[in-house]
Amino acid sequence: MSLKPEDFFKNVISHCKEYGYIFQSSEIYDGLSAVYDYGQNGVELKKNIRDYWWKAMVQLHENIVGIDAAIFMHPTTWKASGHVDAFNDPLIDNKDSKKRYRADVLIEEHVAKIEDKINKEVEKAKKRFESFDEAMFRSTNGRVVEYQTKINDINNRFKAALNAGNLEEVKQLIIDCEIVCPISGTRNWTDVRQFNLMFSTQVGSVSEDSNTIYLRPETAQGIFVNYSNVQKTGRMKIPFGIAQTGKAFRNEIVARQFIFRMREFEQMEMQFFVKPGTENEWYDYWKNNRLKWHLSLGLGDKNYRYHDHLKLAHYAKAACDIEFQFPFGFKELEGIHSRSDFDLMQHEQFSGKKLQYFDTDDNKSYVPYVVETSVGLDRLFLSIISSALREETLEGGETRTVLGLPPALAPIKAGVFPLIKRDGLPELAEKIVADLKLDYLVIYDEKDAVGKRYRRQDAIGTPYCITVDHQSLEDHTVTLRERDSMQQVRVNLTDLNRILDEKVSLKSLLRTLI
RNA sequence: GCGGAAGUAGCUCAAUUGGUAGAGCUCUAGCCUUCCAAGCUAGAGGUUGCGGGUUCGAGACCCGUCUUCCGCUCCA
């Protein structure tokens, strides 16, 4: 593909729209930013990806079960998880440099500078006096006391402002401290805005107070709060996992790049509960296992890489991403995190319920450690569709647009065509459709020349086309045309089911994982 | 949120300095008959993203707004 990545990405987006994969949300009302709808083909591809993940996780692992937790959860869940506190950043922009800062960070840095000044005074004094009482110096030296008072004032004002949710006061504090933008050097600041990661809504009648609940920003907490339910009712023995797919919602500051970062998106997560001390080996196991799953899609091994996190989130002991080479560069596709016992401990503390596991081998109880695998279904969708789309130049200079989807994931498994629209060919084709549709989503098409029908199916990624001709009426054979090679073979009607089963069923993909 | 670019039929794009909104593909009905986007006939599809303004007249110029793409920023 000689197109620039930027233009190629535009092609992907318009192809998605043109062929019923993805539409912008509420398009007739000018759209809704960073929200997208899946069309008639998109919903099938997405469902197939989800099924493949689910079967690879739940069906192929005897010690993994699934759940489907509600999107609404008790508000305390998000206090326990850290989402309420950790994601309420006050933000401020410098109008000259166009740079955005966290207001709290600006103030903290300012305070740190004053502290530096104090330390310098202390150092100077240390050199000057033989016997030096640092505590005494700090509490009596005029300049140091002045600095310290300033720091205390700033901290007090800042805390009070944050607690009161008074963002104007935060801005005033930045102005009063004469904080300048490190880039532009100016004090030309915008107002401070609070950015909330979580969407909130009200339960019960509208006017009742303090019934605010959140739309979950991750599905994982639904698993953690059900840990005990599943462990007990499923008689699960550690190590075991709980899988879940579902919608999550994040109020991203900038949500862009098509379906890569959306405000409403679907996660596929699996939380694996292990004995403390064994988390590292399980972390490695899932790191390998998940990459193997991705590679099985056949999108090209060089399109994937690991990215180990150096800076870790508050709950994590180790974390890595599996990144994929999207049209706009390598970006996170899946995260594998060693979450320690952080989440279950937090929920124990906030709920007052024991979330422990009695290990019969050791004859003792403990809170299990967790290794998480978390993949974005929409990102996976984008990785697949963007690497599948290609434009080929055929002999004779014609071009054809092909969506080379993994056959097992393709929305429509086969197109069934009568070569011409008479002589009983449509009837036989309809009969084939009636038979195949019990197992697969197939499509009947009799409009236009057969070559055109082949191309139509190529563009939506249908892996096989079955064409009925006059010979079919005599010997019950049809031509089976393969999408990528455009090769045709003559096969018996009675073999169709077996051949499709081999080529396009999820089973064929799942087998590569074992 | 800031800066840049863009928005015309389902898709890809035209439309002279401001002067009747068009083509190809797609789609629908029919003819023809046929293994790789064939041909013919007829038809559908538009308040030029939306709202104001300037003008005798706006797709074009001005203002606002929405959406998308790119860059910055943020990202459990």
Side-chain angles (χ1 to χ4, degrees), chain A residues 381-430:
Chain A
F381 185 108
L382 183 59
S383 75
I384 291 167
I385 207 158
S386 64
S387 57
L389 180 64
R390 62 175 186 265
E391 193 146 296
E392 292 179 352
T393 305
L394 305 176
E395 292 169 37
E398 303 178 274
T399 59
R400 92 172 167 136
T401 302
V402 192
L403 204 52
L405 299 171
L409 302 182
I412 294 167
K413 301 307 184 194
V416 183
F417 315 141
L419 187 59
I420 58 172
K421 208 170 20 178
R422 58 174 166 76
D423 301 340
L425 301 189
E427 288 77 2
L428 179 54
E430 300 265 26

Side-chain angles (χ1 to χ4, degrees), chain A residues 28 116 201 228 238 278 335 379 384 397 405 424 442:
Chain A
I28 61 169
D116 276 352
T201 188
S228 232
I238 272 183
T278 65
R379 288 182 180 186
I384 291 167
L405 299 171
V442 294

Side-chain angles (χ1 to χ4, degrees), chain A residues 249-463:
Chain A
F249 304 83
R250 289 183 200 175
N251 194 10
E252 303 283 354
I253 305 175
V254 177
R256 256 197 318 214
Q257 277 163 327
F258 198 35
I259 58 170
F260 183 80
R261 179 168 292 120
M262 294 192 289
R263 298 218 158 91
E264 173 180 344
F265 61 103
E266 188 159 345
Q267 292 186 308
M268 304 196 291
E269 295 196 311
M270 193 280 297
Q271 308 292 335
F272 201 68
F273 300 93
V274 306
K275 184 172 173 173
T278 65
E279 65 271 18
N280 287 343
E281 61 189 85
W282 284 111
Y283 175 70
D284 289 339
Y285 170 85
W286 284 110
K287 227 172 127 172
N288 291 326
N289 181 286
R290 292 302 306 150
L291 183 62
K292 192 175 168 191
W293 185 90
H294 287 288
L295 295 180
S296 74
L297 296 173
L299 307 182
D301 293 7
K302 66 179 190 312
N303 286 325
Y304 296 87
R305 71 179 185 198
Y306 287 120
H307 172 73
D308 291 305
H309 286 210
L310 300 175
K311 214 178 92 188
L312 297 173
H314 58 279
Y315 56 74
K317 284 184 82 182
C320 92
D321 295 336
I322 294 174
E323 295 187 335
F324 182 81
Q325 187 160 28
F326 287 96
F328 40 85
F330 269 103
K331 299 278 179 183
E332 177 184 355
L333 186 60
E334 170 152 10
I336 294 117
H337 297 168
S338 187
R339 293 181 80 130
S340 73
D341 56 1
F342 176 84
D343 298 279
L344 291 181
M345 290 289 249
Q346 286 289 106
H347 286 302
E348 271 206 339
Q349 196 185 320
F350 278 77
S351 68
K353 306 284 193 308
K354 278 226 184 300
L355 298 176
Q356 300 195 348
Y357 175 79
F358 181 72
D359 196 319
T360 47
D361 293 339
D362 296 359
N363 205 30
K364 67 174 185 188
S365 293
Y366 54 77
V367 175
Y369 271 43
V370 172
V371 176
E372 165 190 272
T373 73
S374 173
V375 62
L377 177 49
D378 310 274
R379 288 182 180 186
L380 205 41
F381 185 108
L382 183 59
S383 75
I384 291 167
I385 207 158
S386 64
S387 57
L389 180 64
R390 62 175 186 265
E391 193 146 296
E392 292 179 352
T393 305
L394 305 176
E395 292 169 37
E398 303 178 274
T399 59
R400 92 172 167 136
T401 302
V402 192
L403 204 52
L405 299 171
L409 302 182
I412 294 167
K413 301 307 184 194
V416 183
F417 315 141
L419 187 59
I420 58 172
K421 208 170 20 178
R422 58 174 166 76
D423 301 340
L425 301 189
E427 288 77 2
L428 179 54
E430 300 265 26
K431 227 182 110 209
I432 294 171
V433 169
D435 181 41
L436 290 179
K437 76 180 177 188
L438 295 173
D439 289 308
Y440 304 105
L441 184 56
V442 294
I443 197 172
Y444 174 81
D445 192 2
E446 59 175 28
K447 174 81 179 159
D448 298 312
V450 71
K452 200 168 197 169
R453 286 177 264 166
Y454 286 150
R455 299 300 175 84
R456 270 205 286 268
Q457 295 306 314
D458 288 342
I460 61 171
T462 304

Side-chain angles (χ1 to χ4, degrees), chain A residues 47-61 289-290 292-298 406-409 501-514:
Chain A
K47 173 178 68 65
N48 291 340
I49 298 169
R50 192 193 294 112
D51 283 352
Y52 180 44
W53 181 88
W54 188 265
K55 290 187 176 188
M57 283 296 185
V58 176
Q59 194 168 309
L60 296 191
H61 292 92
N289 181 286
R290 292 302 306 150
K292 192 175 168 191
W293 185 90
H294 287 288
L295 295 180
S296 74
L297 296 173
L409 302 182
D501 201 49
E502 194 177 297
K503 306 280 193 188
V504 306
S505 67
L506 270 186
K507 199 191 289 179
S508 58
L509 265 186
L510 287 167
R511 194 169 280 132
T512 65
L513 296 176
I514 303 169

Side-chain angles (χ1 to χ4, degrees), chain A residues 71-297:
Chain A
I71 287 169
F72 293 153
M73 299 183 71
H74 192 283
T76 309
T77 308
W78 306 111
K79 288 205 176 78
S81 70
H83 285 86
V84 173
D85 295 329
F87 301 101
N88 283 328
D89 302 336
L91 300 173
I92 190 166
D93 290 347
N94 183 272
K95 289 177 187 169
D96 299 312
S97 65
K98 314 292 182 199
K99 295 287 171 186
R100 168 170 295 166
Y101 301 92
R102 279 174 52 177
D104 55 327
V105 171
L106 283 180
I107 291 168
E108 276 163 22
E109 282 172 355
H110 181 70
V111 167
K113 271 184 198 161
I114 303 176
E115 274 168 357
D116 276 352
K117 287 182 184 169
I118 295 179
N119 289 336
K120 272 182 193 159
E121 292 290 339
V122 172
E123 288 302 314
K124 269 200 293 188
K126 252 186 200 167
K127 283 175 191 161
R128 217 180 311 149
F129 303 109
E130 296 272 315
S131 59
F132 179 64
D133 184 342
E134 188 175 325
M136 175 72 96
F137 180 80
R138 280 180 184 272
S139 61
T140 54
N141 179 278
R143 225 177 275 172
V144 171
V145 169
E146 193 183 313
Y147 285 142
Q148 193 57 51
T149 310
K150 219 187 230 177
I151 290 175
N152 293 344
D153 284 349
I154 293 171
N155 282 340
N156 289 339
R157 270 181 75 184
F158 183 54
K159 265 183 214 159
L162 271 196
N163 288 338
N166 187 348
L167 298 178
E168 282 151 38
E169 168 67 5
V170 175
K171 182 184 181 181
Q172 195 55 49
L173 183 56
I174 287 174
I175 291 169
D176 291 348
C177 290
E178 303 184 344
I179 296 174
V180 299
C181 167
I183 308 282
S184 68
T186 70
R187 295 179 213 156
N188 191 8
W189 297 107
T190 63
D191 288 341
V192 176
R193 292 177 312 277
Q194 190 88 354
F195 175 72
N196 296 310
L197 172 90
M198 292 190 287
F199 291 98
S200 60
T201 188
Q202 269 72 43
V203 226
S205 61
V206 184
S207 57
E208 276 175 40
D209 49 322
S210 68
N211 281 339
T212 299
I213 57 168
Y214 298 102
L215 274 60
R216 64 181 177 201
E218 63 172 19
T219 55
Q221 300 304 327
I223 294 177
F224 295 134
V225 301
N226 279 299
Y227 157 77
S228 232
N229 286 336
V230 174
Q231 192 273 318
K232 291 199 170 99
T233 60
R235 299 187 297 118
M236 307 304 289
K237 302 271 182 297
I238 272 183
F240 74 94
I242 303 177
Q244 175 171 223
T245 72
K247 288 281 180 79
F249 304 83
R250 289 183 200 175
N251 194 10
E252 303 283 354
I253 305 175
V254 177
R256 256 197 318 214
Q257 277 163 327
F258 198 35
I259 58 170
F260 183 80
R261 179 168 292 120
M262 294 192 289
R263 298 218 158 91
E264 173 180 344
F265 61 103
E266 188 159 345
Q267 292 186 308
M268 304 196 291
E269 295 196 311
M270 193 280 297
Q271 308 292 335
F272 201 68
F273 300 93
V274 306
K275 184 172 173 173
T278 65
E279 65 271 18
N280 287 343
E281 61 189 85
W282 284 111
Y283 175 70
D284 289 339
Y285 170 85
W286 284 110
K287 227 172 127 172
N288 291 326
N289 181 286
R290 292 302 306 150
L291 183 62
K292 192 175 168 191
W293 185 90
H294 287 288
L295 295 180
S296 74
L297 296 173

Side-chain angles (χ1 to χ4, degrees), chain A residues 454 467 479-482 485-490:
Chain A
Y454 286 150
T467 303
T479 55
L480 184 69
R481 181 262 194 189
E482 201 267 331
S485 64
M486 295 193 285
Q487 295 290 312
Q488 297 181 41
V489 290
R490 202 143 190 112

